[in-house]
Amino acid sequence: MTEKQREFYTQHIKERLSDYRFKHSVNVSKEAVRLAKKYGGNEDKAELAGLLHDVMKDAGKKEQLELIEKYGVKLNEVEKNAPKLWHAIAGSVYVHKVLKIRDKDIINAVRYHTTARAGMSLLEKIIYIADYTSEERDYKGVEKMRKACNVSLELAMEEALAFGIEARAEDHTAIHPDTFEAYNEIMLAKA
């Protein structure tokens, strides 16, 4: 990514996000670059996807849903009833249709950074993990997650998916089928 592009995208998200969410996005971008270096990913794509992953997070639910509907994205039953997931779906649409980014890998990294999915690319995994392990994160278990991502990306995915499934179950909220499929794919690969 050129310095001019970096400045453009950084300024763009700064204008769209709260101070906290902006700091988080910058930290996810830094962590994504670190993970890309460690695991042989494209550092420029990791930096950009990390910066943009939450581009729609601070938009209202109405704005998120309008963008999703405007571009004909069909929500499944879990998604319809889980507004917390809309920012990722709307974010991928925003990145593609508004920012005119054509790289499917970046679009998918934004789209699946909350749910994961089976068949994730290296970049998608990097963004999913970087979102869990960025510098400002301080939830119970974050150190375990950080250690896992330094051992292997697959171990980090296993830990992150298990953490997410457990958290949804404890909250008594629906778990996205993509999350189960991603978890099962990782576990079956180990068998």
Side-chain angles (χ1 to χ4, degrees):
M1 183 162 42
T2 67
E3 191 56 40
K4 189 175 181 177
Q5 290 170 319
R6 183 177 293 110
E7 286 174 16
F8 172 79
Y9 290 118
T10 301
Q11 186 60 38
H12 189 81
I13 63 163
K14 189 172 191 170
E15 291 169 5
R16 291 193 56 82
L17 301 174
S18 67
D19 289 345
Y20 169 80
R21 189 65 49 198
F22 173 73
K23 180 181 173 187
H24 167 69
S25 295
V26 169
N27 286 342
V28 168
S29 181
K30 287 178 188 173
E31 179 67 358
V33 169
R34 186 186 78 78
L35 292 172
K37 282 180 187 172
K38 183 170 181 63
Y39 293 109
N42 182 308
E43 295 172 36
D44 284 339
K45 285 184 178 187
E47 181 181 11
L48 183 56
L51 269 177
L52 297 177
H53 81 285
D54 270 350
V55 68
M56 290 296 292
K57 182 78 173 190
D58 289 340
K61 298 302 179 204
K62 183 175 186 254
E63 182 183 350
Q64 292 172 6
L65 199 53
E66 284 173 355
L67 189 64
I68 290 166
E69 290 172 350
K70 177 179 179 180
Y71 289 101
V73 177
K74 301 290 181 219
L75 301 179
N76 65 32
E77 284 306 307
V78 172
E79 293 163 347
K80 286 177 188 173
N81 292 290
K84 281 183 150 188
L85 301 178
W86 296 352
H87 79 279
I89 300 164
S92 68
V93 172
Y94 187 91
V95 163
H96 183 223
K97 299 295 186 180
V98 178
L99 294 178
K100 306 292 188 206
I101 292 172
R102 298 291 176 240
D103 189 304
K104 272 294 216 202
D105 207 15
I106 292 172
I107 294 164
N108 284 335
V110 173
R111 168 65 179 86
Y112 296 103
H113 83 269
T114 56
T115 61
R117 67 174 178 151
M120 291 176 86
S121 70
L122 177 60
L123 179 63
E124 289 174 70
K125 290 177 182 179
I126 285 170
I127 299 305
Y128 185 76
I129 296 304
D131 192 26
Y132 268 100
T133 59
S134 64
E135 185 181 328
E136 83 292 346
R137 295 290 199 193
D138 63 357
Y139 60 87
K140 186 178 179 199
V142 70
E143 288 308 321
K144 182 179 181 185
M145 199 81 68
R146 288 183 178 132
K147 285 178 186 167
C149 77
N150 287 320
V151 173
S152 80
L153 205 53
E154 296 309 306
L155 178 61
M157 286 296 298
E158 180 182 333
E159 290 291 335
L161 288 161
F163 180 89
I165 290 168
E166 196 174 301
R168 298 298 78 70
E170 285 177 4
D171 291 345
H172 300 277
T173 56
I175 300 169
H176 199 288
D178 285 345
T179 307
F180 280 128
E181 289 174 14
Y183 182 75
N184 287 340
E185 179 181 68
I186 298 269
M187 299 315 290
L188 291 171
K190 284 177 56 173

